[in-house]
C-alpha cells in the first residue's frame, strides 16, 4: 500500500509540474535568465544552467559575492520546477596547479549548492563536484577564454527545457 501511495504521489507531482511548465512564457523566462546571466540549454543527460564566475565569485575566491543573490534566486526558481537529480559542477581556468584548482572548483560548487538549499531546493537532490580545468569551453590562451572557463554548471539530470522554461511557441 505504501509503495502504491508513493507511485501515485510521484505521478501527481509529475503531472503538476508538467502542467505548470506548460503555462510558462518561454520568451519571458529566457529574457529573465539573460538579464541575470544564466544560460540554459539542453545537455547530453538533461538540462544545464551555466553561471559565470563573475556573477558569483571574485577571482580566486569561493565566497559568494553579494551581487550573486539575484543569480542564485533565479537558479533556485528554475530548479524547483523539477524533481530530478541535480549535479553542481565547479570549473576553473588553467592558472595554477591542478590540485589548487580542484580544491577551488569543489569549494565553489559546494557554495552554490548550499545557497540553493538555503533557497528551498532539496539538499537530497543535489550532488557536487569540482572539475578544475579539465573541461574548458574556451581557450585558456586568452583572458576572455579563461574568464569563460571559470564557471559553475548545474545539470538537472534527465530533465527537459520545457519543464524549466515552458514550451516553444509554434509559429
Amino acid at each position: 500500500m505504501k509503495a502504491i501511495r508513493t507511485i501515485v504521489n510521484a505521478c501527481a507531482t509529475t503531472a503538476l509540474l508538467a502542467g505548470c511548465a506548460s503555462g510558462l512564457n518561454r520568451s519571458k523566462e529566457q529574457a529573465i535568465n539573460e538579464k541575470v546571466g544564466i544560460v540554459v540549454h539542453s545537455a547530453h543527460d538533461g538540462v544545464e544552467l551555466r553561471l559565470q564566475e563573475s556573477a558569483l565569485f571574485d577571482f580566486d575566491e569561493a565566497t559568494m559575492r553579494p551581487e550573486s543573490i539575484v543569480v542564485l534566486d533565479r537558479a533556485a526558481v528554475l530548479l524547483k520546477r523539477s524533481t530530478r537529480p541535480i549535479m553542481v559542477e565547479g570549473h576553473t581556468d588553467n592558472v595554477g596547479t591542478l590540485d589548487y584548482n580542484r580544491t577551488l572548483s569543489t569549494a565553489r560548487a559546494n557554495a552554490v549548492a548550499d545557497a540553493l538549499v538555503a533557497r528551498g531546493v532539496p539538499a537530497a537532490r543535489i550532488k557536487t563536484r569540482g572539475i578544475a580545468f579539465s573541461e574548458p569551453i574556451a581557450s585558456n590562451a586568452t583572458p576572455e577564454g579563461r574568464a569563460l572557463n571559470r564557471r559553475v554548471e548545474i545539470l538537472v539530470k534527465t530533465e527537459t527545457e520545457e519543464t524549466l522554461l515552458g514550451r516553444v511557441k509554434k509559429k
Side-chain angles (χ1 to χ4, degrees), residues 92 95-106 132-133:
T92 65
V95 176
T97 67
L98 178 59
D99 284 342
Y100 178 81
N101 280 294
R102 189 173 290 126
T103 300
L104 178 61
S105 63
T106 300
F133 49 74

Side-chain angles (χ1 to χ4, degrees), residues 38 68-78 80 115-116 119:
I38 296 176
S68 68
I69 291 170
V70 68
V71 177
L72 295 166
D73 287 349
R74 177 61 183 166
V77 165
L78 294 169
K80 288 191 282 186
L116 293 171
R119 287 162 173 77

Side-chain angles (χ1 to χ4, degrees), residues 144-163:
E144 297 81 15
R146 287 189 297 276
L148 290 172
N149 290 331
R150 295 188 301 264
R151 66 198 188 279
V152 173
E153 293 178 347
I154 303 170
L155 177 65
V156 186
K157 296 185 177 196
T158 67
E159 190 54 88
T160 66
E161 284 186 58
E162 187 174 291
T163 300

Side-chain angles (χ1 to χ4, degrees), residues 116-137:
L116 293 171
V117 170
R119 287 162 173 77
V121 179
R125 290 179 50 208
I126 302 174
K127 292 188 186 226
T128 63
R129 69 182 188 155
I131 305 295
F133 49 74
S134 64
E135 295 179 13
I137 58 170

Side-chain angles (χ1 to χ4, degrees), residues 1-17 83:
M1 189 63 150
K2 186 176 180 183
I4 293 172
R5 193 173 312 133
T6 301
I7 291 169
V8 168
N9 287 339
C11 289
T13 300
T14 301
L16 176 64
L17 288 171
T83 59

Side-chain angles (χ1 to χ4, degrees), residues 26-69:
R26 191 176 186 118
S27 296
K28 180 181 174 190
E29 295 294 319
Q30 289 173 319
I32 295 168
N33 292 341
E34 186 176 323
K35 184 177 180 182
V36 301
I38 296 176
V39 176
V40 179
H41 59 89
S42 292
H44 66 281
D45 188 24
V47 176
E48 180 181 274
L49 285 66
R50 184 173 293 155
L51 293 62
Q52 287 304 122
E53 172 210 45
S54 59
L56 302 174
F57 306 99
D58 287 326
F59 179 75
D60 201 30
E61 293 290 329
T63 303
M64 305 293 280
R65 297 174 67 217
E67 297 85 4
S68 68
I69 291 170

